[in-house]
Every structure is written in structure tokens, then in C-alpha cells.
Amino acid sequence: MPEFLPFTRPTIDEATIAGVADVLRSGWLTSGPQVKAFEAALSGYCGGRPVRCFNSGTATLAVALRLAGIGPGDEVITSPLSWVATANVVLEVGARPVFVDVEPRTRNIDLDAVEKAVTRATRAIIPVDLAGLPVDRDRLYDIARRHELRVIEDAAQSLGASWRGKRLGTFGDFVSFSFHANKNITTAEGGALVLPDESLVARCEQLRLQGVIRTGEDGMDVEVAGGKYNLTDVAARIGLGQLPQLERFTERRRALVRRYFQRWDRGLGCELPPEDYEQSNWHMFQVTLPERVERSRFIASMRDQGIGVGVHYPAMHLFQLYRRLGWREGQFPHAERIGRSIATLPLFPAMRDSDVDRVCEAARKVLG
Ligand SMILES: Cc1ncc(COP(=O)(O)O)c(C=O)c1O
């Protein structure tokens, strides 16, 4: 039996491991010079826009909503086909998440449906670039402008992706990235928030750490109840080792995906993602299984062949929490069907071409 192939695995080089050891020996573990350096590097990547780091890509979304002034009585439109963090943060700030269906081809939020869902209470849109495939930013920002809505881009999965030649993060309103271990670059856990302008930096830093404002040698005040969301220097050092490799990682992911498209048996009846080698960062390679196939059995059979398969994600409006808020089955047929049948196949930079062949062969055996 060949070695088990997980659906993802981070690539951490020895220089980064040595750098983390140096931080551990330095006597300064939590937020300090490494976080500042990582923020500067990320800001450089994002065309000089202000960037602040957090301990998760959930905290970044929640703080962005607070910075945008969103709270009780407000509605925020988002996709039901995402990690549940995307909607949980809306509840966390006391607002109401409003789900709309996805486009079956891209699996991203349907922008026609967004436009129809705007009410007088709508204050923001949270688009999600599922698997790293960017939502149409031209249409998105056109809708936002016409309805005077804020945009909090949930780009948790799409660092390294671009829209019409422009890197995500270099333009737009708030842009939120995650560095969770499965993401294209990682800090183990962590996130970064790109701010629309410098004037928000001070408030952002307050919301990140207990609302604390420091002045002079010993002055301290608090005017808002912030969270405990700061990134550690240990984590930031991992990120500093990862960021310079992002482009190479993305290239490798694209090459592996090209092979998936070459080797995948179209006769199996799965829906493949759009074949995009320009804009997507290929955070995941996901197929939607035919309705006749029970996903749990597919996952178990693939595991028996030494291959890991992930589920990203069940449609979240069907979770108990959201059903209690009035959402129900049948409202979003595309998200519901995809959420039942989507399967994430192995894709990570250290994978070999022959691993792709192995996955395709195993899928043919299981589904054929
Ligand atoms: C689409 C999406 N949104 C938000 C998050 C939250 O990020 P984190 O896990 O860093 O809190 C994730 C990551 O898991 C994600 O994939």
C-alpha cells in the first residue's frame, strides 16, 4: 500500500523551522517585531495598503464588520456555501446574515441573487472565493456602489488569486485572509485584514486587543471592548517564511490541476470546477459527485485506497443554528445539492504528478 495521501498538507521549509526556533530562543513570543515585519511584507504584497494581522481569519471578519459599523438591525448578504465562520461573524456583531444561492458553475455567490436580496436594512456583502476562485469583482463592486453597501471580502481561501490581472488584496473595500494550516500559506492559525484606508488602523488595533490605547511611557485607556485577537511572533515567523513562496506554491498547484483536468475520467459524471489557470489560486480541487453516489461511501472507499477526501462545505443555512433563525431546506437548491455532493481531492504543492494519477485512478475504480 503506498503512503496515505491527505487532501492537503502544509509545506514548511527548514529555514522557516530554524527561524521559528530563533523566535522561541529570543525571549519574545507574542506580538512583536515578527508580527510587524509580517504585516509590512503583507502590505507590500497588497500594493502598500494597510494590513493588520490577527490570530484567525474569523477574527479579521468580525473586526471588519465592526469597523464598518455593522450591528443590530443590519443585514449582511453572503453565500451559504462556505465555512460557517462567514455567517457566524455576522451573528457575533448582532446583525442578520441573509443567504442567497450560488452559481452552480463557479459555486460562488450568485450576484443576480445578491442584487434581488438587497433591502433597506442591507449594509454589506460578504463574498467568498470558494476554493480560491474569485467572485466577479467588477459586478460585485458595481452592486455595492449602486446600493451603497460595504464589502468585506472573505478571501480566506484566495490569497494568491487575482481578478483581471490584479492581485486580491490590492484593491477593494475590506479584504480578509486566513492562514489556517490548510490555507495556501499558513501561520498554523492566523489571519490578515486589509483595510480600505489608513484612518481605520488605530481602531482596528484597538478592536484586536481589548480596546487598549497606549500613550507615552505609561498611559493606558480603553473606550471600546475589543477582543483578544493578536497574532504571536512565533506564528508570524512562519508566515514570513511562507509568503515569499506563495507564487511558487500557486504555480505548482496550477500545474497539478492541469494534470487533474488531463487525467480525470469525464465519463464518471462528476462536475469539475471551471478550468481557470489565470485567476484562481487553486486552494482546493473539488468535484461534485453525481447524485447516484453516496458521498460518505466515496470518502470511505477512497480512504481504503490510501487517499484523503475532504468536505468543504455542507450548505450552512441547514445547520440547526441557522434553521432556528428561519432558514430551511429548498431555499437554495444549488448550494444544497453541491453541499451534499462536493468532495475535495488531494492538492498541495508537495504532491507529485503521480499522486494526481493515483487519485484519478482510485476515483475511476470507486465511481466507475
Ligand atoms: C471561507 C472561509 N472563511 C473564513 C474562514 C475562517 O478562517 P480561520 O479558520 O482562520 O478563522 C475560513 C477558514 O477556515 C474559510 O475557509
Side-chain angles (χ1 to χ4, degrees):
M1 184 78 165
E3 198 190 339
F4 186 78
L5 181 67
F7 72 80
T8 192
R9 188 198 293 147
T11 300
I12 311 286
D13 62 14
E14 289 303 319
T16 304
I17 294 170
V20 169
D22 290 343
V23 173
L24 292 173
R25 288 189 196 99
S26 74
W28 193 284
L29 302 187
T30 188
S31 313
Q34 302 296 328
V35 169
K36 282 216 160 32
F38 189 37
E39 287 174 343
L42 287 164
S43 174
Y45 177 89
C46 293
R49 300 179 78 197
V51 178
R52 288 299 178 270
C53 285
F54 288 74
N55 57 11
S56 76
T58 304
T60 49
L61 291 171
V63 166
L65 286 166
R66 289 185 73 182
L67 287 170
I70 289 158
D74 297 335
E75 292 180 359
V76 178
I77 301 174
T78 194
S79 168
L81 201 63
S82 179
W83 177 228
V84 69
T86 307
N88 281 353
V89 292
V90 178
L91 295 179
E92 194 182 320
V93 301
R96 182 176 134 74
V98 173
F99 298 111
V100 298
D101 209 351
V102 298
E103 289 171 357
R105 201 181 63 86
T106 62
R107 303 162 181 158
N108 279 335
I109 197 163
D110 177 342
L111 292 169
D112 290 330
V114 169
E115 189 128 33
K116 287 192 195 117
V118 174
T119 69
R120 288 175 57 185
T122 309
R123 296 284 312 284
I125 310 170
I126 306 184
V128 180
D129 305 312
L130 189 71
L133 182 70
V135 170
D136 179 335
R137 294 299 197 272
D138 298 332
R139 283 208 60 205
L140 171 72
Y141 280 102
D142 176 57
I143 294 169
R145 216 170 295 116
R146 281 189 286 106
H147 296 281
E148 295 183 22
L149 305 176
R150 299 306 299 266
V151 176
I152 290 111
E153 297 183 23
D154 185 348
Q157 303 185 1
S158 49
L159 182 67
S162 59
W163 177 253
R164 293 194 195 280
K166 290 187 294 185
R167 286 172 175 173
L168 300 191
T170 61
F171 64 97
D173 200 353
F174 291 96
V175 184
S176 168
F177 295 116
S178 166
F179 304 124
H180 171 264
N182 284 356
K183 299 300 187 280
N184 288 25
I185 68 165
T186 186
T187 60
E189 297 282 3
L193 182 62
V194 186
L195 300 169
D197 72 85
E198 289 287 343
S199 67
L200 292 170
V201 168
R203 189 67 160 191
C204 177
E205 290 178 351
Q206 288 167 27
L207 292 173
R208 177 170 64 177
L209 191 62
Q210 313 291 6
V212 167
I213 306 165
R214 291 180 188 278
T215 45
E217 289 290 338
D218 62 349
M220 189 189 292
D221 195 6
V222 173
E223 57 164 20
V224 60
K228 168 63 182 173
Y229 300 142
N230 55 303
L231 189 71
T232 68
D233 260 21
V234 178
R237 182 62 188 84
I238 306 175
L240 278 166
Q242 291 267 287
L243 186 59
Q245 302 186 71
L246 175 61
E247 211 157 305
R248 193 170 56 79
F249 288 168
T250 306
E251 282 312 309
R252 182 64 192 141
R253 285 173 178 274
R254 285 187 180 140
L256 289 161
V257 164
R258 220 178 260 283
R259 196 166 180 96
Y260 265 119
F261 276 102
Q262 284 162 0
R263 299 294 165 113
W264 189 264
D265 181 349
R266 302 298 202 281
L268 300 176
C270 296
E271 284 168 33
L272 302 186
E275 195 171 350
D276 171 325
Y277 301 113
E278 295 290 320
Q279 309 203 115
S280 176
N281 69 354
W282 286 105
H283 170 56
M284 296 187 279
F285 184 76
Q286 300 179 291
V287 300
T288 308
L289 301 170
E291 295 269 20
R292 66 181 164 84
V293 176
E294 225 178 281
R295 182 172 56 193
S296 59
R297 291 183 63 174
F298 174 71
I299 294 170
S301 304
M302 291 293 276
R303 191 188 307 116
D304 289 346
Q305 300 203 57
I307 291 165
V309 172
V311 174
H312 308 90
Y313 300 93
M316 71 174 99
H317 66 289
L318 301 180
F319 292 150
Q320 277 186 58
L321 168 65
Y322 290 96
R323 284 181 191 265
R324 280 206 303 273
L325 296 172
W327 302 98
R328 52 183 200 285
E329 201 138 14
Q331 284 184 300
F332 309 118
H334 296 307
E336 290 169 22
R337 181 182 64 83
I338 295 168
R340 270 194 310 273
S341 303
I342 200 163
T344 305
L345 301 179
L347 182 65
F348 53 92
M351 247 172 87
R352 293 165 300 208
D353 291 357
S354 59
D355 291 327
V356 173
D357 302 353
R358 224 180 106 194
V359 177
C360 294
E361 193 44 49
R364 192 178 292 124
K365 254 199 229 159
V366 172
L367 298 174

